[in-house]
Amino acid sequence: MKESAASLMSYMSELSEEAYSAGRMHGLEYALWHAVTSGPESYGRLSIDQEEIQRLIDLSKQCGGWMYFDDELGETWIAEHEWKQTFDLNKANYPMD
């Protein structure tokens, strides 16, 4: 895994820890991407603000994609254009509001 992708995953895990005291909540990648595309929102005990959103955007740009959890592969990098398709296809399975 590229260092930039690992940095994104690490930050996503930090946010999950703050929100739920869990390093990797189910659907984390969907909730955080929703905040990136829709703006500040609550996630567990965490209020995702513009600063956190900007850091996610910056880290995503650095690695050219997003991180998600694959049942077989574990933490997996995906190109941004592929992630957007995956998100659109699966977002109904992960309530975000």
Side-chain angles (χ1 to χ4, degrees):
M1 179 184 314
K2 295 188 328 185
E3 185 177 330
S4 56
S7 294
L8 173 60
M9 188 64 255
S10 177
Y11 186 58
M12 292 169 74
S13 293
E14 285 177 36
L15 295 177
S16 180
E17 192 68 43
E18 286 182 47
Y20 290 102
S21 298
R24 180 67 178 77
M25 284 297 294
H26 179 70
L28 172 68
E29 60 271 60
Y30 290 90
L32 296 180
W33 187 259
H34 186 259
V36 164
T37 59
S38 300
E41 61 184 57
S42 294
Y43 178 63
R45 295 184 306 260
L46 177 64
S47 292
I48 302 171
D49 62 23
Q50 194 57 48
E51 181 179 322
E52 290 156 332
I53 289 169
Q54 189 59 54
R55 184 161 179 208
L56 287 166
I57 290 168
D58 292 344
L59 290 168
S60 178
K61 285 181 181 177
Q62 287 173 17
C63 71
W66 198 244
M67 295 298 296
Y68 76 103
F69 186 80
D70 180 278
D71 290 334
E72 293 180 20
L73 302 173
E75 298 299 344
T76 304
W77 176 88
I78 187 170
E80 184 176 346
H81 70 278
E82 291 178 68
W83 170 248
K84 288 177 180 179
Q85 293 173 348
T86 300
F87 179 83
D88 287 342
L89 289 171
N90 296 295
K91 65 184 175 185
N93 298 324
Y94 300 94
M96 290 163 255
D97 294 325

